[in-house]
DNA sequence: CTGTTAGCGCGTTCAT
DNA sequence: ATGAACGCGCTAACAG
């Protein structure tokens, strides 16, 4: 592997001139620059990332800290990781993966290794020990999700209010008024998992905006749990004509559970799956109507904000992105209403 | 951040003694070691990864090269990435993500940056330009999947022969003999995508081992495509009683397509979904019987082999891992056969 | 067993 | 506009 010294010799200049030409850190005569570039081509030279990082104290490496082996976001998490890596690359950064749960010591150790210039933290909880560690370390970081009181911290999160306005509004426009929510597990609330808590708040607010009462049932993120939850809704509110479900695995179970209870989807009860992807939703029959997570956009926004902060080119970045409605076949007019078909209508 | 020099001063030893204590690269007196460890604790010292990498030429960073935005393995790809990162960490390595398609120049550039000591290549094709680039670079690498002629190259791949023996054998034991395969798209064959090619070969061999004729239909990896493919099977081989489907999205469509054609699953036709995950399969009704991809094991095996090669502690590592049968509700006794219930039987 | 010294490849003064 | 020299934090000879 050629070094910068090799390039310098071949171009008959000093090492520092090569460095300055590459970094545009001081003017270089056009002619010399040309000779340098030629030498670089001929040698196939690339700057050594390690040496550059050591000398400049800018490693151009950022970390993605995410909870290993959790599948809350299973559907979109891969998109998320991929787009984050891609965005980092677009900015000339490498992305390393730190698959860690709330292990403060492990995080501190990785931070202290001095490899990365910043961290993107996925799946941030309302109270998140990882955030405390990072804040204490002084290392730049941005959150995907956000704590209860983000203050001036950077984040990119889902706009739950807008998302539930869309969900409830869509159902309302089709004549539904008995709209239930099947949210993530109660344990998520206790664990201060943001989406579950915020979805519930947003749902209640959206419902009250429409002067409607709500019914909330909690469910684990599995098909059988969703099935049971559907039964609970039917018992608790037999006149329910629409259900908003937080998890797509649960949503699949909800459809089955409704069928068990003698309700057909969407003729009797409409179902909307929150934070899903259309690919997953297509596996159910009927195909679920979804509000898709903006996984790709979140990943990119998080990395972009982090890079901006590292390079001190930007103030606090706090972004909220709504889920987008993706029509399937699980939503229809409420019984007795006389409008149009919601899913197929433009 | 404290440096090794700081530790040395505080422990009243020289820099090199600290280094040697940390790396066990030469004997250090117990007493000295104790003083050093104490100093390290008190200062909260961690070795700087960059400096260590530069001096030793061992960055302890490996890359995961994977096709961005593809969803062939969507179901298990996240597991794969996560477990690879976790395994790397267990060996004291960092894992960086290189989300690149077949962009030889980009790969070469990243390699030349000298950041990583090795690469795990995901989704390797039968003829794969990325493998050529890496082989030419001299950098250690291991493949997930394998080229047509891997030679002495390291790889971890699915054992397609064993997997299709399991699938066909399972169906045979339930009395099925008209067993069709719905494989990935024809384009995958042309593109030399390993799994599609190898699954088809393994299917034909397994069928002929049982002295059976096979029927193969190709399908894109989507629900509607699977639905169409099911129709094609019914037309081409009306007496089919079982279908093995390569992709889980397609598999969901196959169930619908069979229903369209007046065949019920599993009463009339059994369906097995290949290279799936039980979580996805549970979203269908009936719940699909699957042969689950060993995503986690593949990721770990790939990283483990790579680390072994980097540290020169191992010869060629070529691993084949079978998919495991996971019973759902989409497989039953063949009509007219009088054995046992396959899915619920132990 | 321990200390001294020379790099690793590059950014960054300070000169000129 | 360009060179020379120093140092980033650490490993790895080479001494003793």
């Amino acid at each position: 592997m050629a070094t910068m010294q090799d390039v310098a010799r071949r171009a008959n200049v000093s090492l520092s001139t090569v460095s300055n030409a590459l970094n545009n850190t001081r003017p270089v005569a056009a002619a010399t620059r040309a000779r340098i570039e030629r030498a670089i081509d001929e040698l196939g030279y690339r700057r050594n990332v390690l040496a550059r990082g050591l000398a400049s104290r800018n490693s151009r490496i950022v970390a993605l800290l995410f909870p290993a082996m959790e599948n809350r976001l299973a559907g979109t998490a891969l998109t998320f990781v991929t787009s984050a890596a891609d965005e980092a690359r677009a900015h000339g950064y490498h992305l390393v993966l730190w698959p860690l749960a709330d292990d403060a010591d492990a995080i501190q150790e990785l931070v202290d290794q001095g490899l990365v210039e910043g961290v993107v933290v996925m799946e941030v909880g309302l109270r998140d020990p990882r955030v405390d560690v990072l804040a204490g370390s002084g290392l730049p970081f941005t959150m995907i999700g956000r704590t209860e009181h983000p203050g001036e911290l950077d984040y990119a999160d889902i706009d739950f209010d807008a998302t539930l306005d869309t969900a409830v509004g869509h159902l309302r426009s089709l004549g539904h008024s008995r709209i239930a929510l099947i949210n993530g597990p109660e344990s998520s609330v206790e664990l201060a998992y943001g989406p579950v808590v915020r979805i519930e708040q947003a749902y209640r607010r959206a419902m009250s905006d429409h002067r409607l009462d709500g019914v909330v049932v909690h469910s684990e993120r599995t098909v059988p749990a969703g099935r049971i939850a559907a039964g609970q809704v039917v018992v608790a509110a037999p006149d329910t004509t629409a259900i908003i479900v937080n998890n797509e695995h649960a949503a699949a179970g909800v459809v089955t559970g409704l069928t068990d209870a003698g309700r057909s989807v969407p003729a009797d009860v409409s179902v909307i799956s929150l934070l899903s992807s259309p690919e997953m939703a297509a596996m159910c029959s009927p195909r679920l109507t979804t509000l898709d997570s903006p996984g790709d956009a979140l990943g990119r926004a998080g990395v972009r904000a982090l890079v901006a902060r590292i390079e001190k080119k930007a103030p606090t970045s706090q972004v909220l992105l709504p889920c987008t409605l993706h029509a399937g076949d699980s939503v229809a007019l409420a019984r007795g209403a006389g409008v149009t078909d919601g899913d197929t209508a433009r």
Side-chain angles (χ1 to χ4, degrees), chain A residues 61-72:
Chain A
I61 301 176
V62 295
L64 180 63
L65 178 57
F66 73 104
M69 309 302 164
E70 306 259 335
N71 61 316
R72 288 159 172 168

Side-chain angles (χ1 to χ4, degrees), chain A residues 34-78:
Chain A
R35 292 213 314 284
I36 290 173
E37 278 168 3
R38 192 141 161 281
I40 288 178
D41 278 8
E42 292 169 354
L43 294 171
Y45 169 77
R46 307 268 172 224
R47 271 176 297 188
N48 181 299
V49 176
L50 251 42
R52 186 147 106 105
L54 182 58
S56 70
R57 318 176 130 283
N58 296 132
S59 65
R60 304 197 71 106
I61 301 176
V62 295
L64 180 63
L65 178 57
F66 73 104
M69 309 302 164
E70 306 259 335
N71 61 316
R72 288 159 172 168
L73 291 182
T76 48
L78 181 64

Side-chain angles (χ1 to χ4, degrees), chain A residues 167-178:
Chain A
V168 172
H170 182 56
L171 293 169
R172 275 264 62 187
S173 74
L174 295 171
H176 294 274
S177 57
R178 316 303 285 180

Side-chain angles (χ1 to χ4, degrees), chain A residues 14 31 37 42 69-70 72-73 87 118 122 161 179 190 199 207 220 223 237 291-292 311 336-337:
Chain A
S14 79
E37 278 168 3
E42 292 169 354
M69 309 302 164
E70 306 259 335
R72 288 159 172 168
L73 291 182
E87 184 74 19
M122 263 179 84
D161 279 318
I179 304 168
E190 292 152 17
I199 281 173
M207 290 295 279
E220 296 292 327
V223 175
L291 277 159
D292 303 337
E311 299 177 350

Side-chain angles (χ1 to χ4, degrees), chain A residues 298-309:
Chain A
L298 284 174
R300 294 188 184 281
V303 170
R304 205 175 305 127
L306 180 60
V307 169
R309 175 157 300 279

Side-chain angles (χ1 to χ4, degrees), chain A residues 169-176 265-267 270-271 286-287 289 325-335 337-346:
Chain A
H170 182 56
L171 293 169
R172 275 264 62 187
S173 74
L174 295 171
H176 294 274
V265 177
S270 291
V271 174
R287 199 159 38 105
T289 289
L325 184 66
H326 194 101
D329 305 311
S330 66
V331 172
L333 275 179
R335 286 215 168 285
V339 205
T340 73
D341 183 327
D343 278 358
T344 55
R346 290 282 150 264

Side-chain angles (χ1 to χ4, degrees), chain A residues 132-173:
Chain A
D132 299 333
V133 173
L134 290 171
S137 78
L139 199 65
F141 70 99
T142 69
M143 307 181 280
I144 305 300
R146 62 203 134 117
T147 53
E148 196 165 6
H149 305 295
E152 298 296 305
L153 297 178
D154 289 343
Y155 65 77
D157 198 1
I158 291 171
D159 187 336
F160 295 102
D161 279 318
T163 299
L164 275 124
D165 280 340
T166 303
V168 172
H170 182 56
L171 293 169
R172 275 264 62 187
S173 74

